[in-house]
């Protein structure tokens, strides 16, 4: 390994504004909604035995749980609609194209991620391009899955909700259960999809911390601040569209620049 | 009720009805029933009554295939309108294995006479499913049910698929469906079909559907699945009198426990009311006496497609097959989450081992940078 | 040469029954009974949660709705070892008792009567005379001349419309129709009344089981929790309503059904010598437990078998003995894994459907091969007739006083010998007679239930072993009962909390089955032999005898 303290050279890391405010707002609203929806969902699915001598008329806890579920469901849906809009007007990291898995570059990057981050192997040659600025392509695919599952939740959720509502919005989804062979199947799908979301979430959270720990580029804080830390030369080389940040044009390449070292 | 408002004008209708041997009460019961469940206006009640007097009575051919006859049985339990009246005074039930006097070739001849004389005018009622695996699985008079159905459907004005058998395949279509029992709408594609699911459907619903067709000469308003909206538009859960207990979170935990005795909600002992579209909660059964939930047993979802395969009936979530021993979605989910969690722990350990060098490098580089800055 | 006639469909029964009969010199010399519809319910319930199975098998039949559910929960309880609370036992008895009332009355008026009653002839009746007759045989209030005259007008209007509906092509004017016009009118009036009445008595099922057809049952008891003070559930008011319904039902049975039955029968005494059958074997499993399912001696209907018409000797039955009850498929469209000639005890039973009959459309079945979907059950290799007649005979033979009383009353009123019981007429009469007895018992069950509740016992279900995890890894059980049409039993084998095997041997299976490997006929076939046929084009006589069994082919095949 060409690595020792003698090999040291100065890095020029730059703050890159990656996650715009709407993305961050979406992310945390979404995060909260999922926590609330899953918690209430579990309770709806299997309510605990509450022993109480009170009159039914003076109790409403299950109604409140369900109300919370539905209220959170609306917020969740609104946030997703907003995020959908941002797929088309957001920056290059938030755009729909950043989630498209079928480009040559994306596939190359995916191979890299699987090799280095999933299988934990090292590469002989480092490509600067493998260092993603927004999300990497495997993550992109996972987010795509998230969005598909969110749609499943919205379709099945509002489909189940429609008969209890007079409003046109939920009623737009009344066709869903009849397509899925009834409310029963719809509920099972709704329930099962929750598990998928939770499982992918666990992996996602772990990987966010993994990258933070391994690469130290401010992964976690990026979802709060919007900024990540990126090698200046990586930015200079690969930024495809103007990014709201200090210009990278005048960054000089350090003499000791070693393109094989990503860190 | 809409009927009372215009009673002046309708007096003549009452009279004609009474001349037919009805009491005013009979009429009111019937009119109320129709209005309440079919969403009728005062004016259309008059229309109903008028249609009831019209001759000839609409001929009905009622076929029995793979079934248990409980749909016929439920039909004769109907209280408004009383079935004897339907049979004698409103429709002409020209063929039904359950009630007709003639047997054998006389019975078949009666049917064929109606099919010829009233081609394009008769209503075809079907009770039961069709076995598509083998024609010999259901034969009448030496002919296969498929053959009989196609023949009878060809001249029918409309088809009523009674019960879960004809609408969804019902119990014989439950896995592994040994006879490939198939509902009517999957076979007959060129006729209007009213699906009236339920195992069986409520008698009054059956009579109401027939009466609607007779009175207006057209189908009642149907939903996406071809079911009359008036009867299948709402979930059992939405008209269930135990609903306040559901909202209050008060549930029977097991049969006959203290909560069950209090009449608490049956959700946790498997009630399918929240997923079942039927009028049981509002119309109830046997002239409004009760319905499954009122008698302490959860709804098993008998009007829903494939409800037989959503068991066990006493669990909130169904068993999922294909995961070795049967398990629920939650069990599968917990195991999957556990496996993923364990995988991540291994990954984390692996990362600490495999990436040790990189990490050490980065830390050293960090220290160096720091030194530089300080220097 | 004998002439082969086919009656298919047999109407006014449940299900799809076909009779092929050879007629020679105006008499039936050979007969074949076949059912031509199959669903495979025994295969469908395999692998399922035994607690759910009652609902599946209940859908075997919507006419005798409840009986399969009851047999099923009994089978599971027997296998697992669950004892149900006394209230549940009485509720189940009340439901079975009211089913008898409902099913038998509907059979008599709506399924059987048109074999004996000429609807068209009632138009020429004198309503005043009908009224007189009605009042002379019963004190049922609806019996004024005006009432019968209204009915007559209604039928006239109906007939005049030219659309005969369910009465089209009936056997009107057949030489075998022997009732005077006035009795015909009486019967038609009660046909209509019974149609209204029947929907009342089933309200008992709705109260306990939520609906009818197909009320709910529960392994371990019943789901209808008792709370005398509650608003919605099984409270004092509802229980009182049950009492009222039972008593009204009993009144109809005693004041309408039985008088009509005897009045009509008195014109058809010749049918006391037709439809006997050749073996004289009658079987009843017994039913209506009063002290738990395990205590067979406390059953209201006794259990036993009569062989060769010998009512002096009633033999015991053991449904669990593998050499007693066995099913054969040598003439049925199934395969056994070890060949077609053996019989199988139901715990080891198999249901591998294999249709090998003619390809439809067909004119005749090939009766030299397999010819029915009904399997052929035998007790120690012997065919058994089951049903009301068998129950009445076994009870009579065992000296159950209620039966002594009603049977002797009927024989006296009709002025016929005991031997007339072994016949088409006897079968139809036995059905009526047992209905009055069961109606009385039902009142008794009701009183017992109410007493128990008054004494503070409100238990309705035993949930202790409801969870299959608490069950033995492997067990098997039998749930038997007396359904309206006869002896019914379900056999279950449970493994790891799942249904490993399930077999139903149903009353109509016993009666409607094809021949066994020894060539012995079952009841339908055997009782048709020697029946005179006046007009092979209108084989009313076949229908009469077959209807006297109240066939249910959805039951028989399942
Ligand atoms: C991440 C998102 C969501 C999760 C994790 C979630 C979770 C759940 C769960 C576990 C259940 C119980 C299902 C069962 O076992 O029967 C449930 C029920 C339900 N959810 Fe959701 N849900 C989500 C989103 C939504 C949305 C967007 C809607 C839209 C209105 C919705 C509407 C419903 C309804 C109507 C029910 C049935 C409640 C009832 O009938 O009382 N859910 N949800
Ligand atoms: C229920 C839990 C969560 C869900 C469903 C979720 C979902 C998502 C989604 C859909 C994205 C893509 C963002 C976009 O393009 O709009 C994302 C990105 C991200 N999330 Fe989460 N998230 C969850 C929890 C968290 C948590 C707890 C953290 C941090 C502590 C976190 C940190 C991040 C970060 C840093 C990114 C950007 C990742 C990248 O650079 O590829 N997430 N998350
Ligand atoms: N045979 C028969 Fe049933 C009866 N009774 C059942 O066990 O009719 Ni449907
Ligand atoms: S739908 Fe159910 S009740 Fe009706 S015939 Fe079929 S099995 Fe019987
Ligand atoms: S008993 Fe069933 S239908 Fe009624 S409120 Fe409870 S879950 Fe809903
Ligand atoms: S089981 Fe069926 S009868 Fe009604 S309450 Fe449920 S839909
Ligand atoms: Mg069987």
């Amino acid at each position: 390994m060409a690595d020792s303290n003698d090999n040291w050279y100065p890095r020029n890391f730059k703050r890159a504004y990656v996650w715009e405010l709407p993305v961050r707002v979406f992310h945390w609203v979404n995060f909260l909604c999922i926590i609330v929806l899953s918690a209430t969902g579990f309770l709806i699915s299997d309510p605990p035995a509450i022993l109480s001598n009170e009159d039914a008329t003076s109790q409403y806890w299950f109604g409140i749980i369900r109300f919370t579920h539905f209220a959170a469901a609306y917020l969740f849906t609104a946030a997703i609609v907003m995020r959908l809009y941002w797929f088309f007007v957001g920056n290059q990291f938030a755009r729909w194209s950043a989630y498209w898995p079928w480009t040559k570059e994306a596939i190359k990057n995916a191979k890299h991620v699987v090799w280095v981050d999933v299988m934990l192997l090292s590469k002989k040659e480092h490509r600067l391009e493998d260092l993603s600025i927004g999300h990497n392509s495997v993550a992109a695919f996972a987010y795509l899955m998230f969005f598909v599952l969110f749609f499943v939740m919205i379709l099945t959720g509002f489909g189940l909700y429609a008969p209890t509502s007079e409003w046109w919005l939920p009623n737009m989804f009344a066709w869903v259960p009849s397509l899925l062979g009834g409310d029963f199947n719809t509920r099972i799908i709704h329930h099962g999809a929750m598990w998928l979301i939770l499982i992918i979430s666990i992996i996602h959270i772990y990987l966010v911390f993994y990258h933070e720990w391994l690469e130290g580029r401010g992964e976690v804080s990026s979802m709060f601040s919007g900024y990540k830390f990126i090698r200046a030369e990586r930015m200079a080389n690969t930024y495809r569209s103007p990014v709201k940040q200090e210009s990278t044009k005048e960054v000089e390449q350090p003499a000791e620049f070693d393109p094989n070292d990503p860190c | 009720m809409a009927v009372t408002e215009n009673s002046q004008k309708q007096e003549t209708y009452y009279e004609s009805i009474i001349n037919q041997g009805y009491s005013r009460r009979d009429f009111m019961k019937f009119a109320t029933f129709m209005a309440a469940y079919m969403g009728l206006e005062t004016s259309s009640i008059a229309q109903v009554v008028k249609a009831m007097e019209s001759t000839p009575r609409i001929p009905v051919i009622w076929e029995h295939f793979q079934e248990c006859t409980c749909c016929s049985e439920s039909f004769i339990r109907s209280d408004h309108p009383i079935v004897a009246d339907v049979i004698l005074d409103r429709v002409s039930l020209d063929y039904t294995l359950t009630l007709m006097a003639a047997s054998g070739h006389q019975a078949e001849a009666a049917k064929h006479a109606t099919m010829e004389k009233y081609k394009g005018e008769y209503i075809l009622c079907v009770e039961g499913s069709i076995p598509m695996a083998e024609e010999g699985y259901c034969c009448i008079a030496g002919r296969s049910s498929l053959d009989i159905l196609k023949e009878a459907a060809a001249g029918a004005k409309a088809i009523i698929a009674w019960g879960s058998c004809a609408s969804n395949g019902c119990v014989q279509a439950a896995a592994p469906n040994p006879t490939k029992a198939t509902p009517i709408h999957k076979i007959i594609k060129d006729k209007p079909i009213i699906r009236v699911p339920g195992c069986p459907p409520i008698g009054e619903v059956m009579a109401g559907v027939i009466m609607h067709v007779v009175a207006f000469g057209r189908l009642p308003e149907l939903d996406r699945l071809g079911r009359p909206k008036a009867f299948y538009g709402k979930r059992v859960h939405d008209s269930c009198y135990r609903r306040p207990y559901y909202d209050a979170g008060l549930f029977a935990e097991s049969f006959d426990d203290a909560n069950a005795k209090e009449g608490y909600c049956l959700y946790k002992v498997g009630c399918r009311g929240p997923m079942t579209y039927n009028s049981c909660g509002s119309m109830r059964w046997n002239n409004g006496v009760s319905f499954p939930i009122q008698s302490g047993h959860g709804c098993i979802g008998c009007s829903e497609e494939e409800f037989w395969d959503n068991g066990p009936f006493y669990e909130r979530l169904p068993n999922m097959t294909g995961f070795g021993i049967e398990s629920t979605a939650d069990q599968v989910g917990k195991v999957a989450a556990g496996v993923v969690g364990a995988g991540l722990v291994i990954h984390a350990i692996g990362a600490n081992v495999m990436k040790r060098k990189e990490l050490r490098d980065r830390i050293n580089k960090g220290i160096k940078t720091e030194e530089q800055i300080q220097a | 040469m004998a002439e082969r006639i086919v009656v298919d469909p047999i109407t006014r029964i449940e299900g799809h029954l076909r009779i092929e009969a050879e007629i020679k010199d105006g008499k039936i010399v050979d007969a074949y009974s076949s059912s031509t519809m199959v669903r495979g319910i025994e295969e469908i319930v395999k692998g399922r949660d035994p607690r759910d199975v009652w609902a599946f098998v209940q859908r075997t039949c919507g006419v005798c709705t409840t009986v399969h559910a009851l047999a099923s929960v009994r089978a599971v309880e027997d296998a697992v070892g669950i004892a149900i609370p006394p209230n549940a036992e009485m509720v189940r008895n009340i439901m079975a008792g009211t089913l008898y009332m409902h099913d038998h009355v509907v059979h008599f008026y709506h399924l059987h009567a048109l074999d004996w009653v000429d609807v068209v002839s009632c138009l020429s009746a004198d309503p005043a005379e009908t009224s007189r007759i009605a009042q002379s045989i019963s004190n049922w209030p609806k019996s004024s001349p005006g009432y019968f005259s209204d009915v007559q007008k209604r039928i006239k209007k109906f007939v005049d419309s030219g659309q005969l509906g369910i009465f089209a092509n009936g056997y009107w004017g057949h030489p075998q129709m022997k009732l005077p016009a006035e009795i015909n009118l009486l019967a038609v009036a009660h046909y209509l009344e019974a149609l209204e009445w029947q929907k009342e008595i089933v309200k008992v099922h709705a109260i306990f089981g939520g609906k009818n057809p197909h009320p709910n049952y529960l392994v371990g008891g019943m789901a209808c929790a008792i709370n005398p003070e509650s608003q919605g559930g099984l409270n004092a008011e509802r229980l009182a309503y049950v009492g009222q319904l039972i008593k009204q039902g009993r009144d109809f049975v005693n004041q309408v059904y039985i008088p009509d039955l005897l009045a009509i029968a008195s014109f058809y005494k010749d049918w006391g010598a037709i439809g006997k059958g050749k073996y004289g074997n009658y079987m009843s499993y017994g039913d209506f437990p009063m002290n738990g399912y395990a205590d067979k001696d406390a059953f209201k209907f006794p259990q036993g078998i009569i062989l060769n018409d010998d009512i002096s000797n009633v033999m015991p039955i053991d449904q669990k003995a593998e050499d007693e009850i066995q099913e054969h498929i040598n003439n049925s469209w199934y395969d056994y894994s070890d060949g077609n000639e053996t019989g199988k005890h139901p715990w080891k039973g198999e249901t591998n459907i294999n249709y090998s009959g003619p390809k439809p459309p067909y004119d005749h079945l090939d009766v030299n091969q397999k010819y029915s979907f009904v399997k052929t059950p035998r007790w120690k290799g012997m065919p058994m007739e089951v049903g009301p007649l068998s129950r009445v005979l076994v009870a009579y033979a065992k000296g159950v006083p209620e039966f002594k009383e009603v049977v002797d009353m009927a024989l006296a009123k009709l002025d016929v010998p005991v031997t007339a019981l072994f016949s088409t007429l006897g079968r139809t009469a036995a059905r009526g007679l047992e209905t009055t007895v069961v109606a009385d018992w039902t009142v008794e069950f009701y009183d017992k239930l109410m007493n128990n509740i008054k004494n503070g016992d409100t238990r309705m279900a035993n949930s202790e072993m409801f969870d299959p995890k608490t069950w033995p890894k492997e067990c098997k059980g039998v749930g038997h009962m007396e359904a309206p049409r006869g002896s019914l039993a379900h056999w279950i084998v449970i493994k790891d909390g799942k249904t490993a095997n399930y077999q139903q041997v149903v009353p109509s299976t016993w009666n409607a089955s094809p021949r066994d490997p020894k060539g012995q006929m079952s009841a339908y076939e055997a009782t048709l032999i020697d029946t005179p046929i006046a007009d092979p084009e209108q084989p009313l006589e076949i229908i009469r005898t077959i209807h006297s069994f109240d066939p249910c082919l959805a039951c028989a095949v399942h």
Side-chain angles (χ1 to χ4, degrees), chain C residues 292-315:
Chain C
Y293 174 66
D295 184 357
K296 315 263 142 125
D297 293 332
F299 282 14
K300 283 286 199 181
F301 269 131
Q303 168 164 314
I305 281 177
I306 291 171
L307 293 179
N308 263 318
D309 297 328
D310 178 9
I311 58 172
S312 66
N313 184 15
V314 181
M315 330 263 294

Side-chain angles (χ1 to χ4, degrees), chain B residues 56-57 64-70 73-74 76-79 82 84-85 87-89 92-106 108-110 118 134-144 171-172 174-176 178-179 199-200 241 255-256 260-262 285-287 289-292 294-297 308-309 311-315 319 326, chain C residues 7-12 14 16 18 36-40 43-44 48-49 51-52 54-56 59-63 102 111 114 154 158 161 163 165-166 168-172 192 195-196 198-199 202-203 206-214 216-218 223-227 232 238 353 355 359-362 373 458-461 463 466 498 537-538 543 554:
Chain B
R57 308 192 314 277
H64 294 253
F65 300 126
Q66 284 180 299
E67 45 84 300
C68 78
T69 314
C70 76
E73 287 284 338
S74 190
I76 67 169
R77 313 273 197 274
S78 162
D79 202 61
I82 298 152
D85 302 341
I87 296 173
L88 288 181
D89 301 327
S92 181
L93 196 47
D94 291 352
Y95 184 81
T96 160
L97 299 184
T98 310
L99 290 173
M100 72 186 302
S103 275
H105 62 87
Q106 276 96 0
E108 296 301 292
Y118 297 100
E134 156 66 57
E135 282 192 291
Y137 285 169
C138 180
C139 289
I140 298 150
R143 295 174 58 199
S144 75
V171 67
Q172 55 273 10
T179 61
C199 188
Y241 77 104
F255 287 101
D256 210 31
K261 283 192 168 51
E262 284 302 320
W285 279 79
N286 305 100
N287 200 13
V289 167
S290 190
F291 71 116
Q294 190 173 351
S295 297
H297 196 287
W308 293 108
D309 290 327
F313 293 139
Y314 302 99
E315 310 283 345
N319 280 338
E326 278 172 353
Chain C
V7 193
D8 181 10
I10 302 254
T11 57
R12 284 180 282 124
E14 197 299 324
H16 302 288
R18 174 184 180 97
T36 50
M37 190 276 277
V38 68
R39 289 172 293 169
E43 283 299 292
I44 290 165
R48 299 196 186 253
D49 188 325
R51 297 170 304 169
D52 289 2
W54 69 261
F56 286 79
R59 270 66 183 182
T60 296
C61 182
V63 177
H102 178 272
L111 307 184
L114 299 182
R154 197 168 171 196
F158 183 82
S161 76
Q163 286 181 288
I166 56 171
N169 284 7
Y171 303 96
W172 322 132
L192 296 174
L195 200 52
E196 281 216 27
Q198 55 88 27
K199 67 186 172 25
V202 296
K203 287 178 181 168
I207 290 169
F208 291 129
K211 72 196 234 262
N212 174 288
H214 296 332
N216 292 308
Y217 276 73
L218 183 74
C224 49
I226 301 173
N227 181 349
R238 303 217 118 203
I353 305 170
Y355 179 73
K359 191 175 160 46
Y362 52 80
F373 279 118
T458 59
R459 290 169 304 150
M460 191 52 94
S463 293
F466 193 63
K498 300 272 170 246
E537 274 301 295
Q538 299 211 353
I543 299 167

